[in-house]
Amino acid sequence: MPIIIRRATREDCPRILELVRELAAYEKAPQEVTVSLEEFAESGFGDQPVWWGLVAVAPGVSPEEEATDNSAERETIVGFALYYIRFSTWKGERMYLEDIIVTKAMRGKGIGKRLFDRLVEEAKEKKLHGMVWQVLHWNTSAIHFYQKYGASLDAEWVNGSIDW
């Protein structure tokens, strides 16, 4: 099945947010997704976007038909990667990969690799000084995926956050 990797659009936001919720459920934290569709879309496609994204589109597949072959002239987003630019006082501008996910039914087909490879290309095109992300310590499949790229995974840092 041909997969198209393209830039995300505002119209993609409802489906991307569905996948965000799928990822949160996988990470055992579905209650943590509190962003509204309006805020999500405006943050990516408003006057001052703070995130950018890529989507993996499977032509001829609807979300309900992902795991079947009886598809019509439709397409659906079967994966996405969302990033923003962060500044490191040590390294300069770097890409921060917030999320990358491929739907469960479409994993193992090289879609995650294609998304990740395109992110690396984009970071280099933007002359960024690297890419950073987080991965849960128990997500061994993701850890193995990143290790194939020669990524270093740092166990020294503790994440901090404040919510309000």
Side-chain angles (χ1 to χ4, degrees):
M1 168 186 317
I3 300 294
I4 299 163
I5 306 296
R6 64 167 171 77
R7 213 165 263 304
T9 66
R10 181 182 285 271
E11 292 74 28
D12 297 329
C13 288
R15 177 65 177 151
I16 293 172
L17 203 48
E18 286 176 15
L19 295 179
V20 167
R21 289 186 180 102
E22 182 179 322
L23 178 61
Y26 174 75
E27 292 182 350
K28 301 171 180 58
Q31 73 285 353
E32 295 298 324
V33 180
T34 59
V35 67
S36 70
L37 176 57
E38 294 75 25
E39 181 183 1
F40 186 79
E42 188 64 22
S43 294
F45 300 98
D47 292 337
Q48 297 181 343
V50 295
W51 65 262
W52 296 268
L54 301 171
V55 292
V57 177
V61 179
S62 72
E64 300 76 32
E65 297 170 330
E66 275 180 7
T68 68
D69 263 345
N70 58 351
S71 55
E73 289 299 316
R74 292 180 287 273
E75 67 176 32
T76 194
I77 295 169
V78 296
F80 81 91
L82 187 145
Y83 72 89
Y84 54 89
I85 308 303
R86 70 176 277 226
F87 185 81
S88 164
T89 55
W90 291 8
K91 303 288 185 183
E93 290 185 357
R94 303 184 72 152
M95 178 181 283
Y96 186 86
L97 175 58
E98 178 66 24
D99 283 326
I100 184 169
I101 185 173
V102 174
T103 62
K104 187 174 182 178
M106 298 300 284
R107 290 182 193 144
K109 301 178 187 308
I111 299 169
K113 181 181 182 342
R114 289 190 54 204
L115 281 166
F116 199 81
D117 288 347
R118 182 63 192 111
L119 287 168
V120 170
E121 284 177 36
E122 192 148 321
K124 289 178 179 179
E125 288 168 5
K126 292 179 181 292
K127 305 215 182 315
L128 302 176
H129 300 287
M131 180 168 44
V132 294
W133 63 89
Q134 296 172 306
V135 61
L136 291 166
H137 67 89
W138 55 261
N139 192 345
T140 55
S141 61
I143 291 169
H144 293 307
F145 174 83
Y146 296 129
Q147 287 173 334
K148 289 178 186 175
Y149 283 87
S152 59
L153 301 173
D154 189 342
E156 291 184 26
W157 293 88
V158 175
N159 292 318
S161 69
I162 299 175
D163 294 328
W164 50 80

